[in-house]
Amino acid sequence: MVVETLGKVVVLAAIAFVVLLVLALFFCFFIIRTKRIIFPNLVLFIISLLYEPLRRLLSFFRIDPTLIDRVSVEIRNTINYHEFVATDLEERVLLLPQCIRSTDCPAKLNPVDGIHCMDCGKCGIAELNANCKELGVRMYISPGGTFTGRILMNSRAKAAVGVACYPNLHEGMLNAKLMGTPTQGVPLTTYGCVNTTVDIEEILNKCKMKTSK
Ligand code: SF4
């Protein structure tokens, strides 16, 4: 009797798992194709619950697994919008990954607030730095995910724009949410460990998204 009940529970759990996987894939493809966000909290919940199985399933079918991260970032950008634009420019920070830097970057790491750009002009960060100073948005270059969390906490920012590859954005925006900071994510335009590229205009547009004042 116990074995029979246990068997039924296992079968039901397996069915629920498959149904959730199919549901998540349906929502993800729908959101990517139509650019319409539906049931955002439900989709984010399923993605967090089944993150690895979903990515493995996509890889199995030779589909880019970062599609899951992309959907997560798009949803968070949408649901964070109103909270984000309610902040002043001076309350916002721009968090950049160090992979954007040139391999000849002369900047040094400061253990408190990351890498200090020296405006040498060998990568796009110099342009972002100049524009951020003009806008009043504080810009930080982080050497890694844990460091980024520390910068966000120490800066006491009310909102943040994060730049990274989609998987890192997915993780970073989730962590920022747990810290109570509304974020906007901008993906890198080319990936890698060094000399990655970004869409400067897109980043600046996010940084200065209109405030409610
Ligand atoms: S512009 Fe700044 S971050 Fe980029 S390579 Fe020069 S010093 Fe490094």
Side-chain angles (χ1 to χ4, degrees):
M1 184 68 181
V2 177
V3 175
E4 195 181 318
T5 310
L6 210 61
K8 281 182 185 166
V9 170
V10 171
V11 170
L12 281 176
I15 291 172
F17 178 73
V18 173
V19 168
L20 280 179
L21 273 183
V22 172
L23 209 58
L25 287 179
F26 168 77
F27 284 134
C28 287
F29 282 113
F30 179 87
I31 289 169
I32 291 294
R33 285 185 77 104
T34 64
K35 301 202 183 311
R36 279 180 53 211
I37 307 289
I38 49 166
F39 305 114
N41 292 317
L42 174 68
V43 179
L44 280 181
F45 172 72
I46 303 177
I47 285 179
S48 354
L49 196 69
L50 300 175
Y51 182 70
E52 270 313 316
L54 280 167
R55 283 175 56 95
R56 280 165 198 259
L57 193 65
L58 288 179
S59 297
F60 179 79
F61 288 110
R62 298 182 187 279
I63 299 170
D64 181 3
T66 62
L67 180 129
I68 300 299
D69 304 286
R70 192 173 148 198
V71 170
S72 161
V73 171
E74 299 292 344
I75 292 177
R76 288 199 191 280
N77 277 351
T78 303
I79 61 179
N80 290 345
Y81 176 81
H82 292 290
E83 251 190 290
F84 183 92
V85 297
T87 59
D88 290 327
L89 295 179
E90 295 74 19
E91 295 172 323
R92 300 176 185 174
V93 292
L94 170 61
L95 302 170
L96 300 173
Q98 68 159 345
C99 61
I100 304 171
R101 295 192 300 156
S102 154
T103 43
D104 300 326
C105 176
K108 297 277 180 295
L109 172 69
N110 179 304
V112 178
D113 55 5
I115 296 154
H116 288 192
C117 174
M118 295 170 71
D119 296 318
C120 77
K122 288 179 184 158
C123 80
I125 293 179
E127 189 180 339
L128 286 169
N129 199 17
N131 279 280
C132 281
K133 278 181 185 155
E134 211 169 287
L135 291 171
V137 173
R138 286 166 286 158
M139 186 194 86
Y140 296 93
I141 309 167
S142 168
T146 314
F147 207 106
T148 309
R150 211 179 329 145
I151 290 174
L152 191 55
M153 200 163 62
N154 294 340
S155 70
R156 298 181 188 276
K158 295 257 175 70
V161 174
V163 178
C165 58
Y166 273 121
N168 286 354
L169 276 180
H170 161 76
E171 194 183 328
M173 291 177 85
L174 175 63
N175 291 339
K177 163 80 183 163
L178 297 175
M179 291 166 69
T181 311
T183 49
Q184 290 293 308
V186 182
L188 295 167
T189 44
T190 55
Y191 286 15
C193 297
V194 285
N195 283 332
T196 56
T197 57
V198 288
D199 184 335
I200 291 180
E201 199 184 336
E202 188 184 357
I203 296 172
L204 292 174
N205 283 342
K206 286 282 187 195
C207 285
K208 60 188 178 193
M209 274 204 305
K210 70 178 176 63
T211 62
S212 59
K213 294 175 183 172

